[in-house]
Amino acid sequence: MSQIYLSAKLPELGTKLLKESALDYTVYEGDRLITKKELIEHVASCEVLICPLSTIVDREVIDAAPKLKLIANFGAGFNNIDSAYAKEKNIYVTNTPVISTYATAELTAGLIIALSRRIVEGDRLMHEQGFDGWAPLFFLGHELKDKTLGIIGMGQIGQALAKMMTAFGMKILYYQRHRLPFALEKQLQATYCSQAELIQQADVLTLHAPLTNETHHLLTSETFEQMKNSALLINAARGPLIDEQALLQAITTQQIAGAALDVYEFEPAVTAGLKEQSNVILTPHIGNASVEARNDMAEIVAKNTIALFAKQPIHHIVNP
């Protein structure tokens, strides 16, 4: 068995670096996601597990890998790994932070524009039946200029998005537990307010908060009742931030005007009923799915693996 196991194929840059360092590795070659049984079989004697967000590394998996020293997660999040238990077993867990910033902010900006101007609806119409021609009241959307963008979670992604959408003439409100320094607020042209105020005032509400016990179901039926009937909701952060059943109710009763989701509460499953809504855009968790971002992520996990065997410092440890 190999020293290193990859539970999914990486961009070529990652495996190229491992080859150049003469490290022994094995890659899962299946066409579907790896099963837990397959994962347990392959980690039995490995020292490093490189895995994507879709690979669940729980206590059972960790206990099946007595030689494991490093779990290198291919993603900024690491909710798929029991990092606290890994720490008990003296196993490092690393992630690939910051790299996803611009790719995810760009996707979020794209979803905001597409939802506001009904681009996906229009594409579907033209593919299926076409239209009779230009008409003054046909297929109206809304401009973003002078609208209020509410950002919950003003980390790197939230800040990058604020810069992008300011260029569209949007007013920026944000909320998170810790307020940004005044100079940075000024630079971003962003105004801090309470979460309740933000939810009530936002024309577009976008989530960029981490998933914790406190943020699970951050948006519920009560939250949607507080939003504008014309408001749009974007989630390219973590699926369980939203109670999707409550979202479906809010969409079907026109409590809000539309939503765009790149992540899902029960991913990869989508809550029944959402697919049938014409004012809901669904994308398959592609926030950081750019060639540039994925190459950078592959470089991080490969270099951390190389560093472990070379007894050099490992970066981006999430369970120090």
Side-chain angles (χ1 to χ4, degrees), residues 212-281:
T212 65
N213 291 334
E214 291 74 28
T215 61
H216 182 267
H217 282 189
L218 186 67
L219 300 188
T220 63
S221 55
E222 290 79 10
T223 315
F224 294 123
E225 289 172 4
Q226 300 302 313
M227 292 174 67
K228 294 180 180 180
N229 296 130
S230 58
L232 304 175
L233 171 65
I234 316 291
N235 188 12
R238 293 290 177 263
L241 295 177
I242 298 175
D243 179 341
E244 285 186 0
Q245 199 59 51
L247 171 61
L248 177 63
Q249 177 74 9
I251 292 287
T252 55
T253 60
Q254 299 181 350
Q255 281 183 318
I256 65 172
L261 307 177
D262 186 51
V263 290
Y264 304 92
E265 184 178 3
F266 305 107
E267 193 167 317
V270 179
T271 295
L274 286 175
K275 291 181 182 180
E276 286 68 53
Q277 308 306 312
S278 61
N279 55 344
V280 175
I281 298 174

